[in-house]
Amino acid sequence: MYKLMIVEDDAVIAEAVRRHMESWGYQAFCIENFQEVLKVFAARQPQLVLMDISLPFYNGYHWCDEIRKISKVPIIFISSASDNMNIVMAVNMGGDDFVSKPFDLNVLQAKVQALLRRTYDFAGDSHLLEHMGMIFDTGKGIVAYGGVQVELTKNEMGILRTLLEQKGKIVTRDKLMEKLWESDSFIDDNTLTVNVARLRKKLEEIGILDIIKTRKGIGYVVD
């Protein structure tokens, strides 16, 4: 079942779209905090976004640009600002389609269905992990934060993914080495220390400070 994220500040329109999409068998949810669109996107991982242009705090172009830094998920703009300049801007910012308000819900559903079919008939899955504004694309091995990103090695990916999936819990050194062994990338105790140090340095280079904490004699934790 495909999951849709609706970024629309008109509660009546947002709820009407949500109910209609769910009647067609989709999961759909509406953004409530318009300052945390990217955070919610990363946490809930929708397969398609319906994006209004005029929004509180930041407009739809801003959020489309932020999403495009970490994902190629299809985005349909829905807006009453349907002049040629806005349509061109929407496409240039990474939008896949544009629907003018007022719109027929059945037409919107048909566009959603067609775009999902075109996108996911050939596209692979992407898994995003989010923590304190940092977004880790485990499929591509890329960490994004504050508009910049860094690419991780296979070992660094394994370490960060394990720690993020166990947020708030201490992961022992033995457990980390076991995880890396399972991925056909065995490392010994000293090499684990080196890999953690390199991972920390890469994260610090893009402004992520002190995210991985050492529990002496035990392992590591991400709070």
Side-chain angles (χ1 to χ4, degrees):
M1 183 185 296
Y2 290 113
K3 188 189 301 180
L4 315 180
M5 183 171 85
I6 302 163
V7 189
E8 165 64 67
D9 64 327
D10 186 316
V12 174
I13 294 175
E15 184 61 17
V17 171
R18 185 191 66 78
R19 288 198 308 266
H20 187 81
M21 292 303 165
E22 288 186 343
S23 74
W24 280 87
Y26 300 111
Q27 289 183 25
F29 66 93
C30 303
I31 287 290
E32 296 178 357
N33 186 336
F34 291 92
Q35 289 181 291
E36 296 189 343
V37 173
L38 188 65
K39 183 175 181 178
V40 174
F41 172 84
R44 302 195 62 173
Q45 300 184 46
Q47 280 78 47
L48 183 141
V49 177
L50 295 169
M51 179 79 72
D52 192 11
I53 293 176
S54 298
L55 297 167
F57 305 108
Y58 303 99
N59 64 28
Y61 298 138
H62 168 84
W63 292 120
C64 180
D65 186 48
E66 289 298 299
I67 289 171
R68 280 289 168 265
K69 291 174 183 177
I70 61 170
S71 175
K72 294 182 179 179
V73 68
I75 298 173
I76 298 177
F77 278 98
I78 50 175
S79 178
S80 56
S82 57
D83 56 275
N84 288 340
M85 181 174 292
N86 274 290
I87 294 173
V88 170
M89 177 75 78
V91 173
N92 287 341
M93 292 300 293
D96 297 277
D97 206 340
F98 192 103
V99 177
S100 301
K101 294 179 182 176
F103 51 80
D104 185 299
L105 286 168
N106 291 310
V107 171
L108 179 63
Q109 184 274 329
K111 283 180 172 285
V112 167
Q113 185 178 50
L115 188 50
L116 286 169
R117 186 170 57 247
R118 290 199 306 270
T119 303
Y120 296 105
D121 275 352
F122 59 86
D125 292 334
S126 179
H127 183 49
L128 304 178
L129 297 173
E130 190 277 338
H131 181 67
M132 303 292 288
M134 175 190 79
I135 296 170
F136 176 29
D137 186 329
T138 63
K140 297 178 182 177
I142 292 173
V143 175
Y145 181 77
V148 292
Q149 60 185 38
V150 65
E151 188 172 339
L152 305 183
T153 65
K154 188 176 181 180
N155 283 347
E156 291 161 356
M157 287 170 57
I159 293 166
L160 185 58
R161 179 168 187 164
T162 302
L163 292 173
L164 287 174
E165 288 176 344
Q166 299 292 320
K167 265 189 298 192
K169 300 177 181 178
I170 298 173
V171 180
T172 66
R173 295 177 64 86
D174 286 344
K175 186 66 175 179
L176 280 172
M177 287 188 283
E178 180 186 323
K179 283 285 185 182
L180 294 169
W181 172 265
E182 287 174 357
S183 64
D184 297 320
S185 184
F186 175 72
I187 56 176
D188 63 23
D189 194 67
N190 288 332
T191 310
L192 176 61
T193 302
V194 171
N195 275 265
V196 171
R198 287 176 178 169
L199 173 59
R200 280 173 167 154
K201 184 177 180 182
K202 284 187 177 180
L203 296 178
E204 287 171 359
E205 286 172 355
I206 60 171
I208 304 170
L209 308 177
D210 227 11
I211 188 173
I212 300 173
K213 296 179 172 59
T214 301
R215 294 294 181 262
K216 195 170 181 180
I218 305 174
Y220 304 93
V221 63
V222 169
D223 292 323

